[in-house]
mmCIF file of all heavy atoms in Angstrom:
data_model
loop_
_atom_site.group_PDB
_atom_site.id
_atom_site.type_symbol
_atom_site.label_atom_id
_atom_site.label_comp_id
_atom_site.label_asym_id
_atom_site.label_seq_id
_atom_site.Cartn_x
_atom_site.Cartn_y
_atom_site.Cartn_z
ATOM 1 N N ASP C 1064 -2.023 18.866 -16.172
ATOM 2 C CA ASP C 1064 -1.241 20.088 -16.384
ATOM 3 C C ASP C 1064 -0.058 20.184 -15.431
ATOM 4 O O ASP C 1064 1.016 20.670 -15.796
ATOM 5 C CB ASP C 1064 -2.125 21.325 -16.207
ATOM 6 C CG ASP C 1064 -3.175 21.440 -17.309
ATOM 7 O OD1 ASP C 1064 -3.001 20.791 -18.355
ATOM 8 O OD2 ASP C 1064 -4.169 22.172 -17.114
ATOM 9 N N LYS C 1065 -0.239 19.724 -14.207
ATOM 10 C CA LYS C 1065 0.805 19.844 -13.187
ATOM 11 C C LYS C 1065 1.731 18.631 -13.142
ATOM 12 O O LYS C 1065 2.624 18.565 -12.295
ATOM 13 C CB LYS C 1065 0.169 20.074 -11.812
ATOM 14 C CG LYS C 1065 -0.543 21.416 -11.674
ATOM 15 C CD LYS C 1065 -1.114 21.597 -10.279
ATOM 16 C CE LYS C 1065 -1.770 22.956 -10.142
ATOM 17 N NZ LYS C 1065 -0.777 24.058 -10.292
ATOM 18 N N GLY C 1066 1.500 17.658 -14.017
ATOM 19 C CA GLY C 1066 2.346 16.474 -14.032
ATOM 20 C C GLY C 1066 1.980 15.445 -12.982
ATOM 21 O O GLY C 1066 2.645 14.417 -12.846
ATOM 22 N N ILE C 1067 0.916 15.713 -12.226
ATOM 23 C CA ILE C 1067 0.480 14.800 -11.169
ATOM 24 C C ILE C 1067 0.000 13.480 -11.758
ATOM 25 O O ILE C 1067 0.247 12.412 -11.209
ATOM 26 C CB ILE C 1067 -0.623 15.464 -10.314
ATOM 27 C CG1 ILE C 1067 -0.012 16.580 -9.466
ATOM 28 C CG2 ILE C 1067 -1.340 14.459 -9.438
ATOM 29 C CD1 ILE C 1067 -1.037 17.456 -8.781
ATOM 30 N N LEU C 1068 -0.684 13.556 -12.884
ATOM 31 C CA LEU C 1068 -1.211 12.377 -13.565
ATOM 32 C C LEU C 1068 -0.480 12.200 -14.889
ATOM 33 O O LEU C 1068 -0.434 13.137 -15.692
ATOM 34 C CB LEU C 1068 -2.712 12.545 -13.804
ATOM 35 C CG LEU C 1068 -3.409 11.446 -14.599
ATOM 36 C CD1 LEU C 1068 -3.343 10.118 -13.859
ATOM 37 C CD2 LEU C 1068 -4.855 11.834 -14.864
ATOM 38 N N SER C 1069 0.094 11.040 -15.118
ATOM 39 C CA SER C 1069 0.789 10.771 -16.373
ATOM 40 C C SER C 1069 0.370 9.412 -16.915
ATOM 41 O O SER C 1069 -0.174 8.578 -16.192
ATOM 42 C CB SER C 1069 2.310 10.812 -16.180
ATOM 43 O OG SER C 1069 2.733 9.793 -15.299
ATOM 44 N N HIS C 1070 0.637 9.223 -18.175
ATOM 45 C CA HIS C 1070 0.268 7.991 -18.869
ATOM 46 C C HIS C 1070 1.522 7.443 -19.548
ATOM 47 O O HIS C 1070 1.717 7.612 -20.754
ATOM 48 C CB HIS C 1070 -0.818 8.309 -19.892
ATOM 49 C CG HIS C 1070 -1.382 7.109 -20.591
ATOM 50 N ND1 HIS C 1070 -1.998 6.081 -19.927
ATOM 51 C CD2 HIS C 1070 -1.403 6.780 -21.904
ATOM 52 C CE1 HIS C 1070 -2.388 5.174 -20.798
ATOM 53 N NE2 HIS C 1070 -2.034 5.564 -22.004
ATOM 54 N N PRO C 1071 2.423 6.774 -18.796
ATOM 55 C CA PRO C 1071 3.699 6.317 -19.371
ATOM 56 C C PRO C 1071 3.541 5.363 -20.542
ATOM 57 O O PRO C 1071 4.317 5.399 -21.494
ATOM 58 C CB PRO C 1071 4.378 5.610 -18.190
ATOM 59 C CG PRO C 1071 3.715 6.146 -16.969
ATOM 60 C CD PRO C 1071 2.303 6.437 -17.371
ATOM 61 N N ASN C 1072 2.542 4.460 -20.455
ATOM 62 C CA ASN C 1072 2.292 3.488 -21.526
ATOM 63 C C ASN C 1072 3.536 2.658 -21.835
ATOM 64 O O ASN C 1072 3.782 2.300 -22.987
ATOM 65 C CB ASN C 1072 1.798 4.202 -22.787
ATOM 66 C CG ASN C 1072 0.974 3.278 -23.670
ATOM 67 O OD1 ASN C 1072 0.315 2.368 -23.180
ATOM 68 N ND2 ASN C 1072 1.006 3.521 -24.969
ATOM 69 N N GLU C 1073 4.332 2.362 -20.802
ATOM 70 C CA GLU C 1073 5.520 1.510 -20.966
ATOM 71 C C GLU C 1073 5.107 0.051 -20.949
ATOM 72 O O GLU C 1073 4.376 -0.382 -20.061
ATOM 73 C CB GLU C 1073 6.523 1.768 -19.833
ATOM 74 C CG GLU C 1073 7.554 2.801 -20.154
ATOM 75 C CD GLU C 1073 8.799 2.663 -19.269
ATOM 76 O OE1 GLU C 1073 9.006 1.578 -18.690
ATOM 77 O OE2 GLU C 1073 9.539 3.642 -19.168
ATOM 78 N N SER C 1074 5.599 -0.730 -21.916
ATOM 79 C CA SER C 1074 5.215 -2.142 -22.016
ATOM 80 C C SER C 1074 6.436 -3.052 -21.989
ATOM 81 O O SER C 1074 7.499 -2.702 -22.504
ATOM 82 C CB SER C 1074 4.428 -2.389 -23.304
ATOM 83 O OG SER C 1074 3.198 -1.690 -23.293
ATOM 84 N N VAL C 1075 6.250 -4.234 -21.368
ATOM 85 C CA VAL C 1075 7.268 -5.281 -21.350
ATOM 86 C C VAL C 1075 6.558 -6.600 -21.668
ATOM 87 O O VAL C 1075 5.505 -6.890 -21.096
ATOM 88 C CB VAL C 1075 7.969 -5.388 -19.989
ATOM 89 C CG1 VAL C 1075 8.986 -6.530 -19.998
ATOM 90 C CG2 VAL C 1075 8.654 -4.066 -19.621
ATOM 91 N N THR C 1076 7.145 -7.398 -22.570
ATOM 92 C CA THR C 1076 6.538 -8.675 -22.954
ATOM 93 C C THR C 1076 7.476 -9.831 -22.628
ATOM 94 O O THR C 1076 8.662 -9.792 -22.970
ATOM 95 C CB THR C 1076 6.211 -8.694 -24.461
ATOM 96 O OG1 THR C 1076 5.310 -7.625 -24.764
ATOM 97 C CG2 THR C 1076 5.559 -10.013 -24.852
ATOM 98 N N HIS C 1077 6.934 -10.838 -21.953
ATOM 99 C CA HIS C 1077 7.663 -12.079 -21.693
ATOM 100 C C HIS C 1077 6.713 -13.251 -21.921
ATOM 101 O O HIS C 1077 5.586 -13.249 -21.406
ATOM 102 C CB HIS C 1077 8.176 -12.146 -20.248
ATOM 103 C CG HIS C 1077 9.239 -11.150 -19.916
ATOM 104 N ND1 HIS C 1077 10.328 -10.907 -20.733
ATOM 105 C CD2 HIS C 1077 9.385 -10.331 -18.826
ATOM 106 C CE1 HIS C 1077 11.103 -9.982 -20.167
ATOM 107 N NE2 HIS C 1077 10.545 -9.614 -19.018
ATOM 108 N N ASP C 1078 7.172 -14.216 -22.688
ATOM 109 C CA ASP C 1078 6.440 -15.474 -22.849
ATOM 110 C C ASP C 1078 4.967 -15.262 -23.225
ATOM 111 O O ASP C 1078 4.072 -15.916 -22.689
ATOM 112 C CB ASP C 1078 6.546 -16.298 -21.564
ATOM 113 C CG ASP C 1078 6.246 -17.768 -21.788
ATOM 114 O OD1 ASP C 1078 6.187 -18.186 -22.963
ATOM 115 O OD2 ASP C 1078 6.038 -18.491 -20.791
ATOM 116 N N GLY C 1079 4.720 -14.323 -24.132
ATOM 117 C CA GLY C 1079 3.375 -14.118 -24.652
ATOM 118 C C GLY C 1079 2.470 -13.240 -23.806
ATOM 119 O O GLY C 1079 1.315 -13.012 -24.159
ATOM 120 N N ILE C 1080 2.970 -12.730 -22.664
ATOM 121 C CA ILE C 1080 2.166 -11.845 -21.811
ATOM 122 C C ILE C 1080 2.807 -10.468 -21.776
ATOM 123 O O ILE C 1080 3.993 -10.324 -21.429
ATOM 124 C CB ILE C 1080 2.035 -12.397 -20.384
ATOM 125 C CG1 ILE C 1080 1.319 -13.746 -20.394
ATOM 126 C CG2 ILE C 1080 1.279 -11.411 -19.502
ATOM 127 C CD1 ILE C 1080 1.172 -14.377 -19.020
ATOM 128 N N THR C 1081 2.034 -9.458 -22.134
ATOM 129 C CA THR C 1081 2.506 -8.074 -22.134
ATOM 130 C C THR C 1081 1.903 -7.326 -20.959
ATOM 131 O O THR C 1081 0.680 -7.329 -20.773
ATOM 132 C CB THR C 1081 2.124 -7.362 -23.439
ATOM 133 O OG1 THR C 1081 2.731 -8.033 -24.544
ATOM 134 C CG2 THR C 1081 2.579 -5.902 -23.419
ATOM 135 N N LEU C 1082 2.763 -6.712 -20.180
ATOM 136 C CA LEU C 1082 2.309 -5.834 -19.101
ATOM 137 C C LEU C 1082 2.630 -4.399 -19.489
ATOM 138 O O LEU C 1082 3.695 -4.109 -20.035
ATOM 139 C CB LEU C 1082 3.000 -6.171 -17.778
ATOM 140 C CG LEU C 1082 2.801 -7.580 -17.208
ATOM 141 C CD1 LEU C 1082 3.400 -7.663 -15.803
ATOM 142 C CD2 LEU C 1082 1.327 -7.961 -17.175
ATOM 143 N N THR C 1083 1.681 -3.506 -19.190
ATOM 144 C CA THR C 1083 1.846 -2.097 -19.522
ATOM 145 C C THR C 1083 1.592 -1.247 -18.291
ATOM 146 O O THR C 1083 0.524 -1.346 -17.675
ATOM 147 C CB THR C 1083 0.864 -1.666 -20.638
ATOM 148 O OG1 THR C 1083 1.091 -2.463 -21.801
ATOM 149 C CG2 THR C 1083 1.069 -0.197 -20.991
ATOM 150 N N LEU C 1084 2.582 -0.446 -17.928
ATOM 151 C CA LEU C 1084 2.386 0.542 -16.866
ATOM 152 C C LEU C 1084 1.601 1.688 -17.490
ATOM 153 O O LEU C 1084 2.157 2.515 -18.206
ATOM 154 C CB LEU C 1084 3.734 1.023 -16.326
ATOM 155 C CG LEU C 1084 3.673 2.029 -15.166
ATOM 156 C CD1 LEU C 1084 3.089 1.382 -13.914
ATOM 157 C CD2 LEU C 1084 5.075 2.583 -14.861
ATOM 158 N N SER C 1085 0.295 1.701 -17.255
ATOM 159 C CA SER C 1085 -0.582 2.588 -18.019
ATOM 160 C C SER C 1085 -0.761 3.966 -17.404
ATOM 161 O O SER C 1085 -0.830 4.968 -18.114
ATOM 162 C CB SER C 1085 -1.955 1.926 -18.210
ATOM 163 O OG SER C 1085 -2.499 1.552 -16.959
#
Side-chain angles (χ1 to χ4, degrees):
D1064 292 342
K1065 293 182 178 296
I1067 289 170
L1068 176 63
S1069 64
H1070 185 60
N1072 205 30
E1073 267 201 20
S1074 295
V1075 178
T1076 301
H1077 293 314
D1078 200 12
I1080 298 179
T1081 299
L1082 300 188
T1083 301
L1084 182 66
S1085 55

